[in-house]
Amino acid sequence: MMDHIFETLSLIYLSLSPFIFIKSKKNIHKFSTSILFLVLFFLRYLLNPFINRFLNLFFLFLILIFSFFIFSHTKKLERIFSNILGKSYLFYPLQIIMTVIIILGLSEFIFFWLLHFDRIKLYSPIYELKVSDDIEDIALINERFKNLDKKFLTNDFDLLIKVTDNSHLIFHPIFFWEPKKGEFPYNKFGFKGELNKIKKEKHEIRIFFLGDSNTEGEDLHSYPYLLQKKFEKDKRDNIKVINAGVTGYTSFQGLLRFKHYILKFSPDILFLSFGWNDPSTFFYGYDKSRKIPLILLNFYDIFKNYATVKFIVSQKIKLSTKKGIDDLERVSPEDYRKNILEFIKICKKTRIKIILLTRPSRIKFLKNGKDFRKNVPIYNDILRDISKNENIPLIDLENLFNRIEDKESYFIDDCHNNFKGYELISEILYDSLQNYLK
């Protein structure tokens, strides 16, 4: 709050002080000085993404000191401005540059403080949900988020969930959201697992797991992590298991992240596990309907730390809130099949061994039920069909857990395994990989 007051007072002072303290009969010089101060003030906000808060305030302090210096050298300043204003080849380019800085800086100033005080919000699709009549759904779909503020907005259970500052997911214009790179438990590339550089070492084998929250796990608690420990126990240090699972991801998001990010890490083996979030109806329609042009990916990576850019781009993919489409799945069965086949096509082209995993769950599905979860087996059946027709290896985790008499003891909720479940999956994966790692 004190920062905001200081910023506001400084802006008012720098705007008006030239008209008060400069001893000149020509208002053009006073106006030019005011414009110069505004350029310096707003230039800070254009530099803001590249410097920390302390340096930014220090820069403002130097501007204020500079203003006192100018007021004590009014005549010198008047001569400088007279020389500049008298040369048209300098005046017009400077006028354009200063106008651009003020406009862009003012925009960044406004959005920065509006976001800072939560007057506007960046849109994050994973956190705005349509809740069904079954209130228990809230707990199920948000099981992994322990620190969310929940607030009912209307009587028909439109729920807005606000993520606190320590959320491990951040907005992304193409993937919708992604993990915070370099922040525990993620490495600098946004994955879980030991990965120090993009290029592989000689004889290094990289096994990537791509999936949703059950793949990602909780912190380091996951079946890819337990699989890595088994290889370490065998002294097979050349094998690196990389967990690229992300909470809430569908096959649509996973395919985009695979094509535009993961491929450059040269995976040798890819395990694919989607099918829980794809049939979800909590996100108001198809994922593909809010896709933005991929050309914006490069643009966003360059300017992503600007508050103005983050806000504008985030609104570009904002979900429709119209009633009557809440029965649409995020990824239709037809599109799910296309996405998986696209994964296979890319892996064949790049010589990556792909292995499909059906999505395990604890609940008993009702064919006539209203909940989207009744359709999860349909997506698993699609994987089985693709595996058979395309001759792609598949590990049927759904059937495996269904054959266990006390399968409830392997889950913490309807769709996430506990340590016991992860340990079982890691053992199955370990055994299946022996044929590929000889």
Side-chain angles (χ1 to χ4, degrees), residues 1-11 14 40-41 43-45 47-66 109 112-113 116:
M1 188 64 180
M2 291 302 297
D3 285 357
H4 181 241
I5 295 174
F6 181 59
E7 292 272 352
T8 303
L9 292 177
S10 298
L11 178 58
L14 293 172
L40 294 175
F41 180 85
L43 181 62
R44 294 168 47 249
Y45 281 88
L47 298 175
N48 200 37
F50 309 103
I51 59 178
N52 59 40
R53 187 66 182 149
F54 172 79
L55 288 177
N56 199 298
L57 290 173
F58 181 69
F59 188 17
L60 176 56
F61 177 73
L62 291 180
I63 295 174
L64 295 175
I65 297 297
F66 177 63
F109 170 80
F112 178 85
W113 288 108
H116 181 77

Side-chain angles (χ1 to χ4, degrees), residues 200-313:
K200 285 193 298 188
E201 299 284 353
K202 188 177 181 179
H203 305 306
E204 180 182 352
I205 298 175
R206 290 181 176 177
I207 303 173
F208 268 75
F209 283 84
L210 188 54
D212 52 32
S213 55
N214 199 47
T215 299
E216 179 182 353
E218 191 73 48
D219 292 339
L220 297 178
H221 180 85
S222 65
Y223 58 81
Y225 175 78
L226 295 175
L227 179 62
Q228 177 69 72
K229 290 301 178 183
K230 295 183 187 303
F231 288 126
E232 291 176 1
K233 186 177 180 180
D234 292 344
K235 308 294 184 183
R236 304 179 78 173
D237 298 331
N238 65 312
I239 299 176
K240 303 298 181 185
V241 179
I242 310 301
N243 187 348
V246 181
T247 296
Y249 262 29
T250 62
S251 60
F252 175 83
Q253 292 167 285
L255 180 59
L256 286 174
R257 196 168 187 237
F258 180 64
K259 289 195 296 186
H260 300 288
Y261 188 60
I262 294 176
L263 272 178
K264 67 181 179 181
F265 294 92
S266 305
D268 295 288
I269 299 174
L270 175 69
F271 282 92
L272 208 60
S273 178
F274 292 105
W276 181 269
N277 296 304
D278 293 75
S280 171
T281 58
F282 285 108
F283 287 60
Y284 286 117
Y286 300 126
D287 276 12
K288 66 179 182 180
S289 67
R290 58 183 185 271
K291 182 174 66 173
I292 64 175
L294 291 176
I295 193 172
L296 287 178
L297 182 59
N298 293 329
F299 159 78
Y300 185 77
D301 282 342
I302 297 172
F303 300 104
K304 63 184 178 182
N305 291 322
Y306 287 105
T308 308
V309 173
K310 286 192 286 189
F311 178 76
I312 293 174
V313 175

Side-chain angles (χ1 to χ4, degrees), residues 75-266:
K75 291 185 178 181
K76 290 183 179 179
L77 182 68
E78 190 173 331
R79 286 197 297 270
I80 293 173
F81 278 131
S82 295
N83 290 332
I84 294 175
L85 296 176
K87 299 177 181 178
S88 59
Y89 68 90
L90 286 177
F91 175 71
Y92 292 108
L94 285 175
Q95 189 179 47
I96 294 173
I97 292 173
M98 289 192 296
T99 300
V100 170
I101 290 176
I102 289 177
I103 292 174
L104 295 180
L106 177 61
S107 172
E108 187 66 12
F109 170 80
I110 292 172
F111 280 103
F112 178 85
W113 288 108
L114 287 176
L115 288 170
H116 181 77
F117 287 104
D118 288 329
R119 307 312 300 176
I120 59 174
K121 298 181 184 299
L122 295 181
Y123 185 75
S124 298
I126 193 173
Y127 304 127
E128 191 167 285
L129 309 173
K130 175 67 169 65
V131 180
S132 71
D133 294 335
D134 181 6
I135 303 302
E136 291 183 0
D137 287 342
I138 302 172
L140 293 176
I141 59 178
N142 294 304
E143 176 63 28
R144 296 187 64 253
F145 296 97
K146 309 298 184 182
N147 55 351
L148 299 184
D149 298 325
K150 302 182 180 71
K151 181 181 180 182
F152 286 103
L153 299 182
T154 64
N155 293 328
D156 61 347
F157 301 121
D158 283 346
L159 186 72
L160 180 65
I161 298 178
K162 175 185 173 184
V163 181
T164 55
D165 290 340
N166 61 352
S167 170
H168 64 282
L169 298 175
I170 57 174
F171 168 80
H172 192 280
I174 306 300
F175 316 138
F176 308 153
W177 59 87
E178 67 174 352
K180 287 184 178 179
K181 298 173 184 177
E183 183 174 299
F184 180 84
Y186 306 102
N187 58 37
K188 63 182 180 180
F189 299 114
F191 307 128
K192 293 179 180 180
E194 184 181 344
L195 190 64
N196 298 319
K197 55 185 179 181
I198 296 176
K199 188 177 180 180
K200 285 193 298 188
E201 299 284 353
K202 188 177 181 179
H203 305 306
E204 180 182 352
I205 298 175
R206 290 181 176 177
I207 303 173
F208 268 75
F209 283 84
L210 188 54
D212 52 32
S213 55
N214 199 47
T215 299
E216 179 182 353
E218 191 73 48
D219 292 339
L220 297 178
H221 180 85
S222 65
Y223 58 81
Y225 175 78
L226 295 175
L227 179 62
Q228 177 69 72
K229 290 301 178 183
K230 295 183 187 303
F231 288 126
E232 291 176 1
K233 186 177 180 180
D234 292 344
K235 308 294 184 183
R236 304 179 78 173
D237 298 331
N238 65 312
I239 299 176
K240 303 298 181 185
V241 179
I242 310 301
N243 187 348
V246 181
T247 296
Y249 262 29
T250 62
S251 60
F252 175 83
Q253 292 167 285
L255 180 59
L256 286 174
R257 196 168 187 237
F258 180 64
K259 289 195 296 186
H260 300 288
Y261 188 60
I262 294 176
L263 272 178
K264 67 181 179 181
F265 294 92
S266 305

